[in-house]
């Protein structure tokens, strides 16, 4: 997941709208830079074909500068990486980059390769999630299919 997040950060900084703004030459980002980035991202989200109808209300078409600052400064705790709000933030950022959502971004990214450490971390997170939700867990497919789909969506 960390590899994916770093790749998203890099692509945001290289996005045409960001490069065409005063942010293009910024090395050390401050509060005002995140405010500008939030305006750029929100403007793009408000016109995105991927945020229409009910989906617009589900995800929202704005993003706060505080959320962006936390994202870029790695202020999220590891436990927050599976948090629904964080996943929605990643979805919005992927929409800003021209993808339908985080899943499509991952599937279409040719540059992303998962290291052995990231693979191990992914499996550990999944196993921890399964253990913590074991009492309420209902698997309607085979265990193999469930694990494959769960890993794919992380």
């Amino acid at each position: 997941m960390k590899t994916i997040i770093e790749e998203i950060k890099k692509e945001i900084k290289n996005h045409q709208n960001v490069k065409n703004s005063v942010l293009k030459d910024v090395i050390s980002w401050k509060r005002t830079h995140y405010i500008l980035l939030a305006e750029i991202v929100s403007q793009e989200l408000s016109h995105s074909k991927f945020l229409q109808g009910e989906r617009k209300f589900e995800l929202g078409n704005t993003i706060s500068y505080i959320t962006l600052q936390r994202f870029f400064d790695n202020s999220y705790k590891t436990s927050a990486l599976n948090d629904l709000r964080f996943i929605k933030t990643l979805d919005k950022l992927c929409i800003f980059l021209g993808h339908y959502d985080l899943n499509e971004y991952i599937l279409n990214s040719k540059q992303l390769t998962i290291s052995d450490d990231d693979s191990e971390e992914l499996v550990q997170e999944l196993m921890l999630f399964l253990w913590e939700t074991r009492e309420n867990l209902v698997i309607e497919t085979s265990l193999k299919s469930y694990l494959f789909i769960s890993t794919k969506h992380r």
Side-chain angles (χ1 to χ4, degrees):
M1 187 67 147
K2 292 175 186 171
T3 306
I4 294 165
I5 291 171
E6 291 306 314
E7 192 65 30
I8 290 171
K9 288 178 188 178
K10 200 181 313 176
E11 284 193 40
I12 289 170
K13 288 186 176 183
N14 288 320
H15 189 277
Q16 193 63 39
N17 293 355
V18 176
K19 288 176 108 175
N20 289 338
S21 73
V22 296
L23 299 174
K24 68 180 176 190
D25 297 323
V26 176
I27 295 170
S28 179
W29 288 44
K30 306 275 188 243
R31 179 178 175 263
T32 54
H33 301 117
Y34 292 111
I35 292 171
L36 288 171
L37 182 60
E39 289 177 17
I40 292 169
V41 172
S42 296
Q43 179 72 21
E44 187 78 18
L45 289 175
S46 69
H47 299 299
S48 174
K49 65 182 178 183
F50 299 126
L51 272 181
Q52 301 297 319
E54 208 172 293
R55 192 151 191 257
K56 183 177 184 177
F57 296 108
E58 178 186 323
L59 286 177
N61 63 349
T62 61
I63 193 163
S64 75
Y65 80 90
I66 295 171
T67 300
L68 289 171
Q69 188 170 5
R70 286 181 184 153
F71 177 74
F72 277 93
D73 291 345
N74 298 317
S75 297
Y76 283 102
K77 296 178 182 173
T78 305
S79 60
L81 296 178
N82 293 325
D83 181 59
L84 181 59
R85 288 173 296 181
F86 185 73
I87 300 299
K88 285 184 175 184
T89 296
L90 292 177
D91 276 342
K92 287 182 192 181
L93 293 175
C94 289
I95 291 168
F96 171 71
L97 295 173
H99 300 273
Y100 181 77
D101 60 11
L102 176 62
N103 287 334
E104 184 187 281
Y105 175 83
I106 293 168
L107 290 173
N108 291 331
S109 181
K110 294 177 173 81
Q111 296 176 347
L112 286 179
T113 54
I114 298 178
S115 68
D116 288 343
D117 289 341
D118 285 344
S119 298
E120 285 181 24
E121 182 182 342
L122 181 68
V123 171
Q124 287 176 352
E125 286 176 9
L126 177 60
M127 297 311 289
L128 179 63
F129 171 77
L130 292 172
W131 180 254
E132 289 173 344
T133 59
R134 67 187 179 279
E135 294 174 3
N136 300 324
L137 190 63
V138 177
I139 300 175
E140 296 176 353
T141 61
S142 70
L143 181 60
K144 181 179 179 179
S145 296
Y146 180 84
L147 291 173
F148 177 78
I149 292 168
S150 297
T151 303
K152 180 180 145 191
H153 289 293
R154 290 196 171 268

